[in-house]
Amino acid sequence: MIQTAWLSANKGYLRQILVCCAVSILPFVYGLVQTWPNLAIEEILKGEAGFAVDPEDIAVIVSMVTLGEFLMPILFGFVLVRLGRKTNMLLNALIYAVAWALIIFARSPFWLIAANFAAGLGCGIILIIGPIYMAEIADSKIRGALISVYITVIAIGQIFMTSVGIFISYFDMNLIALILSIVAFFCILIIAVESPSWHLIDNDEVKAEESFNYYWNTGEEADRPQAGEALAELKETVKLEMESSSSYLELFRTPSNIRASIIVITLSFFQGASGIVAVFTYGSTTLPRYDGFWKPYPTMALVSALNLVFNLVSIALIDKLGRRPLSIVSNAGDAIGTGIVAVYFFLEQNTEWDTTNIKWLPYIGMILYISSYGGAMAVIPHILVGELFPANVRYHASVVSVICIAGSCALFNYIYLGVSRAVGVAAMFAIFTVCSFAAAVFSWLYVFETKNMSLSEIQAIMTGRQRTGSRPSHELNDLS
C-alpha cells in the first residue's frame, strides 16, 4: 500500500527518468561513433571490411564524422527546427541505424565514407536537441541531473568501445552499434512523449495538456488545481516567448537573450579552450618519460576513467550545489591542473632547474585537470543552453553552443603542435590556464544560479517580468 502510494506520488519523476534512459541510448552510440576509428582503422587495413582500403581513404573516412556533425545544422537546421523534439530523436536513431548498416554491408571505401558522414549528421542532432528535450520535460529538482546523465553517457560509450571493442571482432562491434540504434528508436517511440512546450509552440493545446499530465510529478487529486495553475503558466510563458521571431538574430535582439547568449557562448568557448581535446589527443606524447611510477599510456587510461567518474559525480551534485558554484570550482580546478603542467615544462625547457625528481608533477596536473573538468565543465554549457533561453530560440541557441564548443576544440587542437614546437609546451598549457581562470572569474561575476527553478522563473529573472502565480511544490519544470 505504501509502495503504491509512493509510486503514485512520484510517477512523474519515474517517467522522466525512464525517458532519459531511453533517449540516452543515442549519446551512448555517439560515444561509439567518436571512438570507432581507434579500433576500426587497423582492422580495415587488415582487410576485415572485405575490401582493400588505402591510407588516403582512411583519412577521408575518419574526417567525415566531423564534417557531417558540422554541416547538419547548416544544411538541415531549417527542417529540424520545425520538427518535434521526439521526432528529432527518432530521426537520429534512424540515421545511426543506416550508418551502421552501411558499415556492416560495405563493399567499397565509398560505403564507409557515406556511413561516417551519415553518422556525423546524427551526431549533429545529439548535442543540439537532447539537452533541450531533457530541459523541457524534467522537473526542476532533477533537471540538471538528467541532462548530466545524457551528456555523461557519451563517455560511457567511448570507454565501452575502447575496452570491450578490443575483445570482439570488427563485424560484432558494428553489429552491436546497429542493434543499439534500432533499440533506441523503438524505446523512444514507445516510452517518450513529446514535450509540452513543443506542442504549445505547434499550437496544439490538447496534446500539450496530455504531455504535461504525463510528466507531472504527482497523481494526488489534491494537487490537480496546482497542475492547472502550472499548465496555465506554461501556456502563458510560451505564448509570450513565441510572440518574438524564431531566428539566430533574435539571440542578440533583447537584453535577456543577449545576456543568455553571452553566458552560453562564453562557457561553450571556454569548454574547448580549457584544453580538453588537446589533452586527450596529445596527452600521451606530452607527458615526460621516466623510470618512476607514472607512465604516459596508463595515465591517459586513468584520465579517461576519471573523466567518466567525475561526470557521474556531477550528476549527484549539479542540482544540490548548483550550476554557478560548480562552474567556478570546476574552472578553477582546471586552471590549477594545467598551471601545474605549464610550470613543470617552463622549468624543464626554460631554466637550468633539474626536473629529474619532479617528472611526476605534470601527471598530477593532468589528473587534477580532468577531475575538475569532469566535475562540472563537461556538462554546464549543455545544461544552461536548455535553461536560459525562451522557447522561440532554444534550438538556435543550442546550435550556436555546439558550434562554439566544436570550434574552440578544433582551434586549440589545431594550434597545439605549432605553438608547442615554436614556443614550448609550457606556453600552450599557460594559454589553457588563462582561459580556465577567465572562465572561473566569468562564472563568478556573470552567471546566476538556476537550480530548483522552473523555466518560467528563469525567464522571469532574465526578462524582469512578474509571474502571474506562485509555483506549485510539485511543479513539472517544463514551463518555458
Side-chain angles (χ1 to χ4, degrees):
M1 190 72 176
I2 295 177
Q3 185 179 16
T4 303
W6 184 89
L7 289 173
S8 176
N10 291 276
K11 66 178 184 180
Y13 281 147
L14 294 176
R15 285 172 176 166
Q16 293 164 29
I17 293 170
L18 188 60
V19 170
C20 179
C21 291
V23 171
S24 292
I25 300 174
L26 293 176
F28 183 90
V29 178
Y30 177 99
L32 301 183
V33 171
Q34 294 296 310
T35 49
W36 178 82
N38 293 329
L39 297 178
I41 289 174
E42 184 176 352
E43 299 299 315
I44 291 171
L45 292 174
K46 289 179 181 177
E48 292 295 323
F51 49 85
V53 179
D54 296 329
E56 293 79 9
D57 293 329
I58 291 293
V60 177
I61 291 169
V62 172
S63 66
M64 283 297 104
V65 172
T66 305
L67 180 63
E69 187 172 357
F70 177 75
L71 290 178
M72 168 56 87
I74 298 174
L75 297 179
F76 305 106
F78 68 97
V79 176
L80 298 180
V81 75
R82 289 171 172 77
L83 302 177
R85 318 308 193 200
K86 178 180 176 179
T87 304
N88 269 274
M89 300 313 241
L90 291 172
L91 179 61
N92 192 172
L94 284 176
I95 292 174
Y96 273 159
V98 170
W100 290 109
L102 284 172
I103 291 175
I104 290 174
F105 298 107
R107 294 294 178 267
S108 71
F110 178 77
W111 288 50
L112 296 180
I113 292 172
N116 277 268
F117 181 74
L121 295 177
C123 292
I125 300 175
I126 281 288
L127 294 180
I128 293 171
I129 299 297
I132 295 176
Y133 182 51
M134 297 313 306
E136 290 180 344
I137 70 169
D139 187 274
S140 62
K141 295 179 180 178
I142 61 173
R143 182 178 63 227
L146 293 188
I147 298 176
S148 296
V149 167
Y150 182 85
I151 299 300
T152 298
V153 171
I154 296 174
I156 297 176
Q158 292 171 337
I159 291 178
F160 178 88
M161 176 64 83
T162 55
S163 58
V164 176
I166 63 177
F167 297 107
I168 59 178
S169 69
Y170 173 80
F171 175 82
D172 290 340
M173 177 176 66
N174 298 324
L175 182 61
I176 289 173
L178 172 60
I179 292 173
L180 285 173
S181 302
I182 295 172
V183 169
F185 177 86
F186 285 104
C187 284
I188 295 170
L189 182 66
I190 296 170
I191 298 172
V193 170
E194 184 57 82
S195 78
S197 287
W198 172 257
H199 284 310
L200 290 174
I201 292 172
D202 200 36
N203 295 316
D204 194 333
E205 293 193 4
V206 174
K207 288 186 178 180
E209 184 172 356
E210 293 174 354
S211 174
F212 186 91
N213 291 332
Y214 180 80
Y215 289 117
W216 179 258
N217 188 48
T218 178
E220 300 296 330
E221 191 65 32
D223 289 317
R224 294 303 177 187
Q226 292 180 335
E229 292 174 8
L231 179 59
E233 184 176 9
L234 169 61
K235 292 178 180 178
E236 178 185 359
T237 301
V238 173
K239 180 181 178 181
L240 285 172
E241 292 170 355
M242 294 309 295
E243 288 177 353
S244 300
S245 63
S246 298
S247 69
Y248 290 100
L249 288 178
E250 192 65 26
L251 294 174
F252 307 99
R253 278 180 176 163
T254 64
S256 59
N257 283 345
I258 291 173
R259 182 183 183 185
S261 297
I262 291 173
I263 292 173
V264 168
I265 289 173
T266 301
L267 291 181
S268 296
F269 174 80
F270 280 135
Q271 187 187 75
S274 71
I276 184 62
V277 174
V279 166
F280 276 115
T281 303
Y282 301 108
S284 59
T285 57
T286 298
L287 290 170
R289 269 71 171 166
Y290 74 114
D291 295 330
F293 172 77
W294 298 101
K295 303 294 180 185
Y297 288 106
T299 298
M300 291 312 299
L302 176 61
V303 164
S304 297
L306 286 175
N307 184 43
L308 172 58
V309 169
F310 281 91
N311 269 220
L312 296 174
V313 170
S314 73
I315 295 171
L317 297 181
I318 198 72
D319 286 316
K320 293 182 180 179
L321 300 183
R323 287 68 159 142
R324 181 173 178 267
L326 282 179
S327 181
I328 295 171
V329 172
S330 177
N331 283 293
D334 288 350
I336 294 172
T338 54
I340 290 172
V341 179
V343 167
Y344 168 81
F345 282 106
F346 177 81
L347 293 175
E348 182 189 58
Q349 298 171 356
N350 299 284
T351 72
E352 295 181 359
W353 188 296
D354 184 4
T355 60
T356 303
N357 294 324
I358 58 170
K359 285 186 179 292
W360 50 268
L361 196 60
Y363 289 83
I364 298 299
M366 286 279 196
I367 290 173
L368 176 59
Y369 166 80
I370 200 62
S371 300
S372 300
Y373 178 86
M377 197 54 182
V379 299
I380 287 291
H382 303 288
I383 293 174
L384 293 181
V385 78
E387 292 181 333
L388 297 184
F389 291 91
N392 61 307
V393 292
R394 201 170 289 146
Y395 168 85
H396 304 82
S398 187
V399 170
V400 171
S401 174
V402 170
I403 290 175
C404 288
I405 292 171
S408 63
C409 286
L411 171 64
F412 287 95
N413 203 30
Y414 176 75
I415 69 173
Y416 182 88
L417 285 179
V419 172
S420 297
R421 289 168 179 168
V423 188
V425 175
M428 199 65 241
F429 275 86
I431 293 173
F432 295 152
T433 300
V434 170
C435 289
S436 293
F437 179 76
V441 173
F442 176 83
S443 298
W444 178 45
L445 295 176
Y446 207 72
V447 176
F448 71 94
E449 188 51 64
T450 59
K451 73 170 183 176
N452 296 329
M453 296 173 61
S454 72
L455 298 186
S456 77
E457 286 178 317
I458 295 171
Q459 284 305 305
I461 292 174
M462 296 292 289
T463 60
R465 68 170 182 261
Q466 295 293 319
R467 297 170 67 244
T468 57
S470 60
R471 182 166 66 104
S473 59
H474 298 290
E475 180 185 358
L476 169 71
N477 194 29
D478 179 12
L479 299 179
S480 184

